[in-house]
Amino acid sequence: MNKLRGYLSSGALIASACLLSAISGVVAAQTTPLTNQEAHRRAEALLKQMTMEEKVGQLNQAAGIVIPGLATEKPDAAIAKGQVGSVLWQFDVKELNRMQHVAVEKSRLHIPLLVGFDVIHGYRTIFPVPLAMASSWDPAVEEAAQHQAAKDSRAAGIQWTFTPMVDIARDARWGRIVEGAGEDPYLGSAMAAAQVRGFQGDSIGPDSVLACVKHFAGYGAAEGGRDYDSSNIPESLFRNVYLVPFHAAEKAGAASFMSAYMDLNDVPATGNRWLLHDVLRQEWGFKGFVVSDAIAVGNLQTHGYARDPEDAAYKAFTAGVNMDMASLTYIHNLPKLVASGKVTEAELDTAVMPILEAKYRLGLFDNPYVDESKVDAQLSSPEGLALERKLAARSMVLLKNDNHTLPLSKNLKKVAVIGSLADSTKDIEGGWTVEGLFGGPGKSHPVTVLAALKDRLGANINYVPGVAPAREYPSMFDAMTGAKKLPPPTDAEVTDWIARAKAAAADSDVVVAVLGELASMSGEAASRATLDLPGMQQQMLEAVAATGKPVVLVLENGRPLDIRWAADHVPAILEAWYPGTEGGDAVADVLFGDVNPGGKLPVSWPRTAGQEPLYYNHNLTHEPEDRPSFTSRYWDLTTRPLYPFGYGLSYSTFKFANLRLSKDRINAEQTTEVEVDVTNTSTVAGDSVAQIYIHQQAGSASRPVRELKGFRRITLRPGETQTLKFSLGKEELQFWSPQTKLWDVEPGTFDVWAGEDSTASLHAELIVTK
Ligand code: BGC
């Protein structure tokens, strides 16, 4: 009986039942998700039946497609032998079902595959890039978008997304700044937790995908902003800044983590036991599993950290990497390591268990297949598109608006639209678009700014694209998508385009210049040495501005750019980022005032690349910049940003007043309430983001001049006042001291500011006693 019970609870029987239904063409109905305890129990029972090789197979993630030089054939044979636990980079639903059939029907124990993919900001309905969503300063935006992305991915056979990327980025040259929430640990934590909730829900269910928090950790601090380069981060900075959003995502219940590529203080993150074991598992109590970044296990040899592939497998495995992404180093070497006793079977079991548990929690043993007939309807849902348009507009940041240039009148006779990005469906969604990647069919039909303006203004548009900018060196995705580098424009072409742009501007009431970067200029391996507007865009901008017509600059980009000239000469600048599938309409909604912009910068906006890394929460190590000497200022430029962290305008204006603390003296265990009145002083309803900053005046270590410790986005009617309340207690006041090596609230005086950005001037003082 006991034996029978064991068998009944095992994955084998459930998988066989599934096999039967699959063969008869019936897709099993989704059953109630398993509790963690039940998933654990079943995983344990299944583990007992597995051979050592099958266990190692679960730790192997294989490319689900052929990639020259990396995966020479589809993984079918290995799947059938039980040597593949997970596949990635495949999103064709038929292919996924086919491979899943191989796993479930042909492998000895019928264990389904876990399908992973980079669903970073939407599946077919592409939401604004993560940096944009962070600009909403509204975690509900991230949560709603990622929940939609989860439903869409799950319906299309993907159960695990390599998101959220929560790397702090203080340097706009780093291409991957676009994938995260910017420079701040507090804002980053809110966005990280919101994404985990969006993907996974309260508990893993039929609409959830597993989140994977990446890139653990310190990847955003790459030297010189060069992607993959080393990160050297002192422990106090690491704990007080870089690790904070990771911990928030872990506390929110993230099922998995991804180890980063680079050396962290000389020890590659993927072979860093202190990071993956001591911090993640011991200190934080993480119970899920860690996957390496793609080929990062094999790469330990490139780092000069591992002697050979066997040593690489050993170092990554014993550091705490459960699953090897695409390098095949585990599958080829772990069996040898177990045979020689360097890795014990008990250690192997510990690594495999959370992966099996995740498969049970996802209900994969019950229902591994996708109902192909339902995929298209789910992926093209009008609700998803409507949500996208709303969130895109909510994520835009109005950087400048002199003389009420915006909103534009709806009765404009003629508008000149300048710049090739205005008409580029390829770029408006930004990078990491699932169906557009790897040469996929690209079924998303994004609305460009030009299309949206034409929709509103009919034929009254003078469009002058100019020549699209191009990367000097190709993107690694170009080869996959077949993108070709076009030659730069000749002098004659430039002269001609400029003349056309000028003529179009002169013939119009207003110019909308849509400028920025191609999507491929941001993202992985897309770092830059400069932040200029690439190609001939700056020349086009200067030419149209010279006509004296009002110019609205709409930026489509994934990082702050050097827009000093525009900031001085152009009356209105709207940062639209890469706003996604309905992005053009969302831009038009803001330009014409149907939506009042309320986004704020999640990064300090540099004047030029030479200021990088630039961030507001720095220490003050000598005199402040406004003193005559002994300052850390450059002799040729201020160290101040062009626009500060937290900054963004609205068509409304707001006043902050009456900053008060419920107690202005507390002990280290207590909490004080901070209250502030926010009034809409204009005649239009609009959004303000109230922000609370603190500064610890003295302590066991120097503390940043300001740190964000609370924020809330609110909508106020004309004339309306709301009183907002924030708490300052242990969570907000503590820091990790490099001297005591502890998280502590230290007694002393704290400055408290409230306002609309990181330069807020409304001030109070808080005394903390022992
Ligand atoms: C990236 C990861 C990504 C992985 C899988 C890597 O190159 O660094 O962010 O999740 O590929 O596509």
Side-chain angles (χ1 to χ4, degrees):
M1 182 61 188
N2 270 348
K3 211 167 160 200
L4 179 65
R5 198 174 295 133
Y7 188 61
L8 277 174
S9 65
S10 79
L13 184 68
I14 297 160
S16 318
C18 186
L19 167 67
L20 288 179
S21 61
I23 290 170
S24 62
V26 181
V27 176
Q30 182 68 50
T31 51
T32 326
L34 297 181
T35 61
N36 290 353
Q37 290 91 322
E38 184 56 17
H40 181 79
R41 207 176 60 73
R42 293 198 195 182
E44 248 177 4
L46 178 57
L47 191 74
K48 288 201 180 105
Q49 302 173 52
M50 293 169 75
T51 63
M52 185 264 279
E53 287 76 12
E54 283 165 340
K55 291 175 189 172
V56 173
Q58 289 303 306
L59 308 184
N60 178 34
Q61 184 178 48
I65 50 169
V66 173
I67 305 180
L70 189 62
T72 45
E73 54 183 14
K74 291 213 179 138
D76 293 42
I79 295 173
K81 283 191 228 152
Q83 290 177 349
V84 178
S86 172
V87 292
L88 82 164
W89 296 326
Q90 177 58 265
F91 58 86
D92 181 291
V93 179
K94 285 197 167 42
E95 269 297 286
L96 288 176
N97 266 346
R98 195 188 59 71
M99 283 194 286
Q100 199 63 285
H101 272 285
V102 177
V104 173
E105 290 165 31
K106 303 234 167 95
S107 74
R108 191 180 72 92
L109 290 171
H110 315 292
I111 303 175
L113 297 166
L114 177 62
V115 179
F117 208 102
D118 295 276
V119 183
I120 307 291
H121 52 121
Y123 189 99
R124 182 176 300 164
T125 295
I126 300 294
F127 290 96
V129 288
L131 190 65
M133 288 201 269
S135 305
S136 69
W137 285 60
D138 181 2
V141 163
E142 289 272 20
E143 187 169 343
Q146 303 302 30
H147 183 56
Q148 182 71 37
K151 285 192 288 187
D152 291 354
S153 322
R154 197 65 202 272
I158 290 165
Q159 309 102 18
W160 180 23
T161 178
F162 308 127
T163 325
M165 188 196 96
V166 306
D167 295 307
I168 295 287
R170 296 172 150 192
D171 190 333
R173 293 171 299 177
W174 188 51
R176 303 197 79 169
I177 190 172
V178 63
E179 294 175 54
E183 75 187 39
D184 185 71
Y186 189 88
L187 179 66
S189 295
M191 295 301 169
Q195 292 190 71
V196 173
R197 286 196 302 272
F199 285 126
Q200 299 190 168
D202 291 335
S203 63
I204 308 284
D207 278 347
S208 315
V209 293
L210 306 181
C212 182
V213 190
K214 70 186 189 186
H215 305 83
F216 197 53
Y219 185 39
E223 276 182 355
R226 291 177 299 271
D227 203 11
Y228 313 124
D229 217 326
S230 302
S231 294
N232 289 296
I233 314 174
E235 189 171 354
S236 56
L237 183 61
F238 197 54
R239 288 186 180 274
N240 288 310
V241 176
Y242 286 89
L243 282 181
V244 175
F246 284 97
H247 200 185
E250 191 278 326
K251 284 192 258 185
S256 68
F257 268 57
M258 183 187 291
S259 66
Y261 279 129
M262 78 302 140
D263 281 341
L264 172 66
N265 304 329
D266 290 346
V267 181
T270 294
N272 195 317
R273 187 169 162 87
W274 172 78
L275 184 63
L276 300 174
H277 179 265
D278 299 2
V279 174
L280 181 61
R281 292 186 189 280
Q282 281 196 322
E283 282 182 33
W284 297 357
F286 175 65
K287 297 274 181 292
F289 62 98
V290 174
V291 64
S292 73
D293 203 340
I295 64 166
V297 176
N299 259 358
L300 293 180
Q301 221 184 319
T302 317
H303 285 258
Y305 182 62
R307 234 178 0 259
D308 51 29
E310 188 173 325
D311 195 30
Y314 178 75
K315 286 191 162 132
F317 182 84
T318 52
V321 173
N322 302 64
M323 190 183 279
D324 168 11
M325 184 188 281
S327 85
L328 305 178
T329 310
Y330 275 9
I331 198 75
H332 293 316
N333 296 284
L334 272 182
K336 283 185 264 175
L337 289 165
V338 178
S340 69
K342 281 190 87 181
V343 165
T344 66
E345 193 134 358
E347 286 168 332
L348 195 58
D349 289 354
T350 307
V352 175
M353 269 299 282
I355 296 166
L356 296 178
E357 281 168 353
K359 291 184 178 185
Y360 278 112
R361 284 172 70 200
L362 282 159
L364 276 181
F365 286 90
D366 290 350
N367 191 5
Y369 303 114
V370 177
D371 185 342
E372 292 169 25
S373 68
K374 295 205 174 126
V375 178
D376 263 332
Q378 171 65 34
L379 295 187
S380 316
S381 88
E383 294 78 30
L385 288 171
L387 179 69
E388 201 299 294
R389 180 165 173 175
K390 197 169 133 207
L391 302 188
R394 209 167 163 75
S395 302
M396 291 177 193
V397 186
L398 183 62
L399 295 176
K400 187 176 177 193
N401 192 21
D402 282 359
N403 313 320
H404 301 285
T405 306
L406 292 176
L408 297 174
S409 152
K410 290 183 177 158
N411 302 318
L412 286 171
K413 293 275 168 309
K414 256 240 151 105
V415 174
V417 178
I418 307 295
S420 60
L421 283 171
D423 193 28
S424 173
T425 49
K426 239 177 111 230
D427 293 295
I428 195 160
E429 295 183 325
W432 283 130
T433 56
V434 179
E435 291 188 325
L437 198 65
F438 303 115
K443 289 188 188 134
S444 173
H445 296 293
V447 180
T448 64
V449 177
L450 183 66
L453 293 178
K454 278 189 177 157
D455 202 34
R456 290 189 180 231
L457 300 171
N460 303 335
I461 303 261
N462 282 320
Y463 176 50
V464 184
V467 175
R471 284 174 53 133
E472 189 56 36
Y473 302 103
S475 152
M476 66 177 185
F477 296 112
D478 286 348
M480 296 174 190
T481 57
K484 298 255 173 331
K485 183 182 168 187
L486 299 168
T490 61
D491 289 350
E493 277 173 315
V494 171
T495 311
D496 179 47
W497 281 119
I498 300 271
R500 286 207 244 169
K502 268 188 175 160
D507 180 42
S508 304
D509 307 324
V510 69
V511 181
V512 175
V514 184
L515 309 179
E517 294 185 326
L518 305 180
S520 64
M521 291 174 171
S522 273
E524 187 171 353
S527 294
R528 296 187 64 183
T530 69
L531 296 174
D532 307 339
L533 281 170
M536 58 178 301
Q537 299 183 98
Q538 181 69 32
Q539 284 161 283
M540 298 265 283
L541 183 65
E542 292 185 19
V544 292
T547 63
K549 291 294 167 78
V551 177
V552 177
L553 171 59
V554 175
L555 289 168
E556 243 183 68
N557 51 324
R559 56 155 66 81
L561 295 169
D562 183 341
I563 53 164
R564 283 175 291 173
W565 189 90
D568 283 345
H569 298 93
V570 167
I573 307 176
L574 177 69
E575 175 53 88
W577 306 111
Y578 297 115
T581 305
E582 298 284 287
D585 276 327
V587 167
D589 289 343
V590 172
L591 293 184
F592 289 99
D594 298 332
V595 174
N596 188 351
K600 308 283 168 193
L601 291 177
V603 285
S604 304
W605 191 290
R607 291 161 198 271
T608 182
Q611 287 183 310
E612 296 289 9
L614 183 71
Y615 47 95
Y616 82 96
N617 48 355
H618 58 85
N619 292 359
L620 180 65
T621 54
H622 222 303
E623 296 300 314
E625 165 149 352
D626 50 9
R627 303 283 160 78
S629 55
F630 299 113
T631 75
S632 60
R633 200 182 63 196
Y634 305 108
W635 63 256
D636 56 352
L637 192 67
T638 169
T639 49
R640 298 212 177 93
L642 184 62
Y643 302 112
F645 172 80
Y647 167 86
L649 302 172
S650 155
Y651 299 150
S652 314
T653 46
F654 301 94
K655 186 169 151 249
F656 281 63
N658 302 326
L659 174 63
R660 52 206 184 268
L661 306 179
S662 61
K663 292 179 229 144
D664 53 15
R665 180 179 282 269
I666 55 173
N667 69 35
E669 297 302 318
Q670 291 175 321
T671 297
T672 185
E673 305 296 331
V674 181
E675 283 188 5
V676 65
D677 300 337
V678 189
T679 305
N680 182 342
T681 50
S682 73
T683 53
V684 270
D687 286 7
S688 172
V689 178
Q691 302 167 37
I692 302 291
Y693 294 87
I694 65 161
H695 168 235
Q696 180 176 333
Q697 292 184 359
S700 69
S702 306
R703 299 300 299 141
V705 289
R706 287 191 182 203
E707 292 178 279
L708 180 71
K709 291 295 173 180
F711 67 88
R712 199 158 316 133
R713 180 166 175 161
I714 49 166
T715 305
L716 292 175
R717 293 186 308 275
E720 184 187 353
T721 299
Q722 268 187 38
T723 299
L724 299 184
K725 226 188 222 180
F726 300 87
S727 296
L728 289 181
K730 186 160 187 249
E731 197 55 38
E732 292 76 24
L733 300 172
Q734 66 178 353
F735 78 103
W736 189 89
S737 167
Q739 299 227 68
T740 63
K741 307 224 177 288
L742 291 172
W743 285 95
D744 235 339
V745 178
E746 296 185 349
T749 306
F750 289 75
D751 297 297
V752 180
W753 292 273
E756 282 196 285
D757 63 47
S758 54
T759 64
S761 55
L762 213 52
H763 179 258
E765 243 176 34
L766 171 67
I767 309 225
V768 177
T769 57
K770 254 276 165 244

